[in-house]
Amino acid sequence: MKTVIVKGLGLMGGSLAKDMRPLYPEAEFVGMDAKQSHEQKAVELGLVDRIGTADDFDRADMVVLCIPVNALPDALVEVMDAIHQDCLVWDTGSTKSQLCKRLSNHPKRHQYVAAHPIAGTENTGPEAAISGLFHGKTNIVCEVERSGFEFQERARELFQALGMRIRFMNPDTHDRQIAFVSHLSHISSFMLGKTVMREEQSERDIFDMAGSGFESTVRLAKSSPAMWTPIFEQNSQAVLEALGDYIKHLTEFKNKMEEEQWEELYAEMEKINGIRSILEGIPGTPSAKTKEEIQKQ
Amino acid sequence: MKTVIVKGLGLMGGSLAKDMRPLYPEAEFVGMDAKQSHEQKAVELGLVDRIGTADDFDRADMVVLCIPVNALPDALVEVMDAIHQDCLVWDTGSTKSQLCKRLSNHPKRHQYVAAHPIAGTENTGPEAAISGLFHGKTNIVCEVERSGFEFQERARELFQALGMRIRFMNPDTHDRQIAFVSHLSHISSFMLGKTVMREEQSERDIFDMAGSGFESTVRLAKSSPAMWTPIFEQNSQAVLEALGDYIKHLTEFKNKMEEEQWEELYAEMEKINGIRSILEGIPGTPSAKTKEEIQKQ
């Protein structure tokens, strides 16, 4: 491995570069980002050795794309067109259907692995890059049967070296389910932030009363619109369905409150408490199994 | 201080007992709880020295009530009726209007301090009690002018020894604002849990895809219905208003998605990102000032 290209030097790309460099100590790490300030910062922080251009693609042994999902399809095709026959390409996009469709008939489709490492923080940019971000997290790989054996294997070894659990899914199922379990959480958080900020305009000091519970539910409202707007757009059908269900459940809760059906609300919340035991299975959460337990699996 | 009574030995009462014992090393700590299993456990864990009855109130130098808000008014009157003239009484209830109204004409009103320490976790029962739960957190004291100087002072000293910041408010403003900044977060979390659990009945493995973002937004869905149903009931007017606003904002977001107004959604989320700087002021959160900084204030 002589050259690794990381396209997109934000939280994901930066964190990946940080943890991949020790795995390929002999490789030159070349970075690219739509923002020049990100490029400068990434070199300053030593996340990559130098900044490259499209001319570098044909010498790469691995290209990772960590850019917003609206920019991914065109960028991916550009990379695939340029690479040599031993180069592995993968991406970290949060939607997979459109991307897999777009690549479907590409002559080098077998060199591509469609991945979605479910990891992140609410922070953005190369300064937000942290080591260990992917450790113990789940990585969904889509349409794995379309990737060649050699490329499946190289990607698997890398993901395992980063400490990730690998799960295989088809892209449509991935997009639908991730709408419920990730995309919806972001909208719920953004709108919670909006609701309290609106109130704050008229009532001072309200944020001074906020505790860790509010902070926890509203944390994702700090997320990057540049990343999330394209995700909502690309996955709008599934997100709209999840959001519709959510609004329906909130409205039913409100109606029951108005009708003073307290016993029913009690029973409902008690049932939802069952999520505690389900959440214990989520890696990377305080209640989850330890990394060691996961690695032993 | 010879006798301290903690009525309600769950997360709040248990954690308080844990941190108050070293402050009053000479005092006997007497506990009471509606659940016998909690009482046994609290003695076993050494949170209190023994379990008491209503007969103990007249010898208490301090009584703290840490019970669900529906049980608070009657219990508080019972305690106030029984105590001697030097006993300080305070509570940790999440709603304050009804309680203050109920106590308004009590001859010993000046011995009572209406407090709401904004602290907690999603866990319940004496086993969930942790040391330091209140450190660096905000404690809202309502109608402080109705408490006698001596009792104001004793409560203030205790709250500061526990590491809490004290804020004074009137009960109606407290209840209204806490609906937005705490009660709403719990409903948003419960309904998020419900929405994903519903989906999970038809689609297996969905929780296996969940990351730390989902865990963070859904954490409060593990909260106790026994604590939260009475809060929603007592504070229903303000909670309904907050919930109505929240549903309205979610519906507007959904409509904009359906109309593909991506630029507007981008601008809106960017505006909400402003919550980051506001949240930096919240104590007890990762982004907040350190305890030392707060203590220096």
Side-chain angles (χ1 to χ4, degrees):
Chain A
M1 191 89 82
K2 287 195 209 134
T3 307
V4 174
I5 297 183
V6 180
K7 190 170 163 65
L9 297 165
L11 167 72
M12 295 294 275
S15 301
L16 262 180
K18 225 168 193 164
D19 283 351
M20 281 170 64
R21 298 199 69 159
L23 300 175
Y24 308 113
E26 78 290 358
E28 184 186 40
F29 274 72
V30 179
M32 301 173 191
D33 197 285
K35 283 191 189 167
Q36 219 188 335
S37 59
H38 279 195
E39 292 185 334
Q40 280 176 352
K41 198 77 199 171
V43 172
E44 259 175 61
L45 293 169
L47 299 174
V48 292
D49 296 305
R50 67 172 175 87
I51 296 307
T53 67
D55 291 338
D56 288 290
F57 290 137
D58 65 358
R59 71 160 91 178
D61 303 299
M62 187 193 294
V63 181
V64 197
L65 294 101
C66 310
I67 60 179
V69 297
N70 58 328
L72 260 177
D74 284 352
L76 184 57
V77 169
E78 187 195 0
V79 169
M80 298 300 292
D81 286 347
I83 53 171
H84 62 62
Q85 64 180 14
D86 294 320
C87 179
L88 164 69
V89 179
W90 62 287
D91 76 295
T92 61
S94 192
T95 54
K96 294 264 86 72
S97 293
Q98 273 198 30
L99 209 52
C100 285
K101 274 196 201 88
R102 180 72 181 275
L103 258 278
S104 188
N105 297 316
H106 197 283
K108 297 179 196 156
R109 172 65 185 84
H110 62 287
Q111 292 179 240
Y112 167 63
V113 172
H116 177 202
I118 302 176
T121 72
E122 69 279 22
N123 303 317
T124 50
E127 301 92 332
I130 47 174
S131 189
L133 181 63
F134 302 95
H135 202 108
K137 307 293 169 60
T138 301
N139 194 354
I140 312 278
V141 174
C142 292
E143 273 191 350
V144 67
E145 69 286 355
R146 298 287 322 264
S147 307
F149 287 166
E150 181 202 334
F151 299 96
Q152 291 177 16
E153 186 68 8
R154 281 171 61 192
R156 194 183 57 76
E157 280 170 9
L158 168 58
F159 300 157
Q160 285 183 336
L162 292 168
M164 285 191 271
R165 306 155 76 228
I166 304 169
R167 294 288 181 266
F168 302 105
M169 286 182 97
N170 80 55
D172 292 344
T173 309
H174 166 275
D175 284 10
R176 185 187 150 75
Q177 298 198 354
I178 207 76
F180 280 83
V181 96
S182 162
H183 304 171
L184 177 60
S185 285
H186 285 78
I187 299 177
S188 113
S189 229
F190 270 111
M191 292 305 100
L192 196 62
K194 178 174 178 171
T195 302
V196 178
M197 285 168 97
R198 283 272 172 126
E199 183 63 14
E200 204 255 347
Q201 294 180 319
S202 52
E203 306 279 6
R204 291 174 54 86
D205 298 338
I206 190 167
F207 279 102
D208 206 33
M209 299 170 70
S212 56
F214 177 69
E215 214 281 339
S216 172
T217 43
V218 90
R219 179 172 68 85
L220 300 178
K222 305 178 203 166
S223 302
S224 158
M227 174 177 168
W228 282 95
T229 313
I231 290 174
F232 298 144
E233 183 173 358
Q234 273 205 10
N235 204 23
S236 62
Q237 197 187 332
V239 173
L240 280 170
E241 194 193 327
L243 185 51
D245 283 3
Y246 185 53
I247 293 171
K248 182 173 150 270
H249 293 143
L250 287 162
T251 307
E252 286 167 0
F253 195 98
K254 184 166 172 274
N255 292 342
K256 282 183 191 155
M257 275 189 69
E258 281 163 345
E259 291 159 12
E260 307 203 333
Q261 298 186 28
W262 306 115
E263 280 177 33
E264 274 199 42
L265 287 172
Y266 186 107
E268 184 170 348
M269 288 190 276
E270 200 169 37
K271 205 169 154 190
I272 300 165
N273 278 171
I275 204 166
R276 179 185 290 270
S277 55
I278 301 174
L279 286 169
E280 277 162 13
I282 299 183
T285 66
S287 50
K289 293 177 182 130
T290 65
K291 287 167 190 172
E292 289 67 32
E293 285 174 319
I294 290 159
Q295 285 169 336
K296 268 188 225 155
Q297 285 177 344
Chain B
M1 191 89 82
K2 286 195 210 133
T3 307
V4 174
I5 297 182
V6 180
K7 189 168 163 68
L9 297 166
L11 168 72
M12 295 294 274
S15 301
L16 262 180
K18 224 168 191 163
D19 283 352
M20 281 171 63
R21 298 199 67 159
L23 299 175
Y24 309 113
E26 78 291 357
E28 182 185 42
F29 275 72
V30 178
M32 300 172 191
D33 198 284
K35 282 190 189 168
Q36 218 189 335
S37 60
H38 279 194
E39 293 185 334
Q40 279 178 351
K41 198 77 200 171
V43 173
E44 258 175 60
L45 293 168
L47 300 174
V48 292
D49 296 304
R50 67 172 174 89
I51 296 307
T53 67
D55 291 338
D56 288 290
F57 290 137
D58 66 359
R59 70 159 91 180
D61 303 299
M62 185 192 296
V63 182
V64 197
L65 294 101
C66 309
I67 60 179
V69 297
N70 58 328
L72 260 177
D74 285 351
L76 185 56
V77 170
E78 186 196 1
V79 168
M80 298 301 292
D81 286 347
I83 52 171
H84 63 62
Q85 64 178 13
D86 294 321
C87 179
L88 164 67
V89 179
W90 62 287
D91 76 294
T92 60
S94 192
T95 54
K96 294 264 85 73
S97 293
Q98 273 199 29
L99 210 52
C100 285
K101 273 196 201 90
R102 179 73 182 274
L103 259 277
S104 188
N105 296 315
H106 197 282
K108 298 179 195 155
R109 171 64 185 86
H110 63 286
Q111 293 180 240
Y112 167 63
V113 173
H116 178 202
I118 302 177
T121 72
E122 69 279 22
N123 302 317
T124 50
E127 301 92 331
I130 48 175
S131 187
L133 180 64
F134 302 95
H135 201 107
K137 307 294 169 60
T138 300
N139 192 354
I140 313 279
V141 175
C142 291
E143 272 192 351
V144 68
E145 71 284 356
R146 298 288 321 266
S147 308
F149 287 166
E150 180 202 334
F151 299 96
Q152 291 176 17
E153 187 68 7
R154 281 171 60 193
R156 194 183 58 74
E157 280 172 7
L158 169 58
F159 299 158
Q160 285 183 336
L162 292 169
M164 286 191 271
R165 307 156 73 229
I166 303 168
R167 294 289 181 266
F168 302 105
M169 288 182 97
N170 80 55
D172 291 344
T173 309
H174 166 276
D175 284 10
R176 185 187 150 77
Q177 297 198 357
I178 206 76
F180 280 83
V181 97
S182 162
H183 303 171
L184 177 60
S185 284
H186 285 78
I187 299 177
S188 114
S189 231
F190 269 112
M191 292 304 102
L192 195 62
K194 178 175 178 171
T195 303
V196 178
M197 285 169 96
R198 283 273 172 126
E199 184 63 12
E200 204 255 348
Q201 293 181 320
S202 51
E203 305 278 4
R204 291 173 55 86
D205 299 337
I206 191 167
F207 278 103
D208 207 31
M209 299 171 70
S212 56
F214 177 69
E215 214 281 340
S216 173
T217 42
V218 89
R219 179 171 68 85
L220 300 178
K222 304 178 205 168
S223 302
S224 157
M227 173 176 168
W228 283 95
T229 313
I231 290 174
F232 298 143
E233 182 173 359
Q234 272 204 10
N235 203 23
S236 63
Q237 197 186 333
V239 172
L240 280 170
E241 193 193 327
L243 184 52
D245 282 3
Y246 185 52
I247 292 171
K248 180 172 150 274
H249 294 143
L250 285 164
T251 307
E252 285 167 1
F253 195 98
K254 184 167 171 275
N255 292 341
K256 282 183 191 155
M257 275 191 69
E258 280 163 346
E259 291 159 12
E260 306 202 333
Q261 298 187 28
W262 306 115
E263 280 176 32
E264 276 200 40
L265 287 173
Y266 186 108
E268 183 169 349
M269 287 189 277
E270 201 169 35
K271 206 169 154 191
I272 299 165
N273 278 171
I275 203 164
R276 179 186 291 269
S277 56
I278 302 174
L279 286 171
E280 276 161 13
I282 299 183
T285 66
S287 51
K289 292 175 183 134
T290 64
K291 287 168 190 169
E292 290 67 31
E293 286 174 320
I294 291 161
Q295 284 168 336
K296 268 187 224 157
Q297 284 176 346

